[in-house]
Amino acid sequence: MILTVTPNPAVDKSTRTTQLIPEKKLRCSDMVVEAGGGGINVSKGLQRLGAPNKALITSGGFNGKQLEACLREEGISYHTIQIPGETRENIVVLEEQSNNQFRFVLPGPTLQPEIEEDILSAIRNLPVAPKIIVGSGSLPPGFKDNFYARLVTLANELGAKTIIDCSGKPLELAVAAGVYLVKPNLNELSQLSGVSALETDQVVEAAQRLLKKGSCRMVAVSLGAQGAILVNKDQVIRVPAPTVKKQSTVGAGDSMVAGMCYQIWKNADPADIIRYGVACGTAATMNPGTQLFQRIDADRLFDWLSNQ
């Protein structure tokens, strides 16, 4: 089984309007309500790929009930850690005139340290230890920066591989704890390297320094339209992003994580891991809103990348 951990999930609400105009009543389309948050999106992707997975989430209040209802509707197995207060919500508005998306992200409730312990205890008490643990998304207010690092340490004790997709200090500490794979973008890799900015030609050297400094096994650097680079102790694998008609970039990063996780679950080689990650991430951009990817698109793009 693959376990995804989302400590700060959200109810994602999306709509569209012709044009955003200040001080005016804006007539919008029907609201689409979905379960959101990094780990939940990875579970959605894994579900489409047919990989067995469970989403571990925090949930509270009316929004929490709505979040769980969305997960049940999508057929995603989940385990809930109940919290006081309301699960956060995010609002996405598409301006049809410009095709720009405006994303309003709320912080969520402040949680006590006991919730961190509840999450880790729930993982320890699973009937069967997961093969892979994915920690993804922001940490809720009140969580310590070392939460994902503690998750990595626990996973290592259980013999599970970890994929962490976050940013800032939590990512830095997760790398030092011995994470299996991290997926920084160029800005996040710059922060991990302690510099203000990196150019594309500096990515490989920065990733190799990261491998030597920490004890992570692989660094998959997302470069957006330029594709991605996977670096481990033996290889540097560059994968271009296929050219497609893009409709939305929402969920592309989570789709990439799902694709890489799926290939790791299948014990694939590093080249297929990063190719399928790029294929799923690119396929997600072909769909509007927050729809993630379609497997048929991901498989087609993967075949194309494999024959380059």
Side-chain angles (χ1 to χ4, degrees):
M1 181 189 71
I2 301 166
L3 180 72
T4 66
V5 180
T6 313
N8 197 24
V11 176
D12 285 340
K13 299 181 177 181
S14 56
T15 186
R16 58 178 61 211
T17 191
T18 304
Q19 185 181 11
L20 289 176
I21 305 173
E23 309 297 336
K24 297 287 186 181
K25 286 185 178 179
L26 306 177
R27 304 298 177 186
C28 299
S29 65
D30 289 342
M31 183 78 73
V32 176
V33 180
E34 299 170 292
I40 287 176
N41 287 336
V42 174
S43 274
K44 289 180 183 178
L46 292 170
Q47 190 86 345
R48 295 181 183 190
L49 297 173
N53 73 94
K54 182 184 286 287
L56 194 156
I57 63 168
T58 58
S59 175
F62 174 79
N63 284 346
K65 290 176 180 162
Q66 197 170 33
L67 178 79
E68 293 178 47
C70 290
L71 290 174
R72 289 193 297 271
E73 187 175 336
E74 296 203 35
I76 294 175
S77 175
Y78 67 92
H79 180 88
T80 300
I81 304 296
Q82 291 296 326
I83 60 171
E86 288 284 342
T87 294
R88 70 189 179 117
E89 58 184 0
N90 297 328
I91 300 171
V92 179
V93 179
L94 173 69
E95 185 182 55
E96 295 173 327
Q97 191 174 88
S98 65
N99 204 38
N100 288 328
Q101 279 188 335
F102 296 84
R103 303 169 69 181
F104 304 90
V105 179
L106 303 181
T110 298
L111 301 181
Q112 298 302 312
E114 290 79 14
I115 303 298
E116 295 185 47
E117 303 306 323
D118 290 344
I119 292 174
L120 298 175
S121 294
I123 297 171
R124 288 191 190 95
N125 294 324
L126 287 171
V128 179
K131 181 177 180 179
I132 302 169
I133 298 177
V134 180
S136 181
S138 63
L139 296 179
F143 268 39
K144 294 179 181 176
D145 286 341
N146 69 347
F147 173 76
Y148 281 134
R150 295 183 67 198
L151 181 64
V152 169
T153 299
L154 174 58
N156 291 341
E157 292 172 3
L158 298 174
K161 296 174 180 176
T162 45
I163 301 172
I164 300 297
D165 186 18
C166 62
S167 59
K169 193 68 174 179
L171 179 59
E172 180 184 339
L173 295 174
V175 170
V179 66
Y180 184 78
L181 181 147
V182 289
K183 187 202 71 66
N185 57 30
L186 196 57
N187 181 56
E188 290 162 351
L189 183 62
S190 300
Q191 293 175 359
L192 287 171
S193 303
V195 297
S196 58
L198 286 171
E199 299 299 330
T200 305
D201 60 358
Q202 298 173 303
V203 165
V204 172
E205 184 181 352
Q208 289 172 334
R209 285 199 305 268
L210 198 60
L211 291 172
K212 293 175 182 176
K213 183 173 68 171
S215 46
C216 62
R217 297 278 295 279
M218 290 192 282
V219 180
V221 186
S222 172
L223 300 173
Q226 297 179 61
I229 299 175
L230 185 139
V231 182
N232 61 21
K233 66 183 181 67
D234 301 314
Q235 298 169 287
V236 174
I237 305 167
R238 303 173 188 269
V239 179
T243 302
V244 298
K245 183 178 180 180
K246 294 184 179 179
Q247 297 200 55
S248 171
T249 59
V250 176
D254 296 328
S255 295
M256 181 178 177
V257 172
M260 291 190 294
C261 183
Y262 176 66
Q263 291 294 326
I264 292 171
W265 175 71
K266 291 175 59 181
N267 298 315
D269 61 45
D272 281 349
I273 290 171
I274 190 63
R275 285 182 193 131
Y276 205 71
V278 170
C280 288
T282 304
T285 69
M286 298 166 63
N287 297 313
T290 56
Q291 293 184 27
L292 301 183
F293 64 92
Q294 300 300 322
R295 180 166 188 173
I296 189 171
D297 295 327
D299 286 345
R300 177 174 56 82
L301 294 174
F302 176 68
D303 288 342
W304 182 83
L305 288 169
S306 298
N307 291 315
Q308 293 305 298

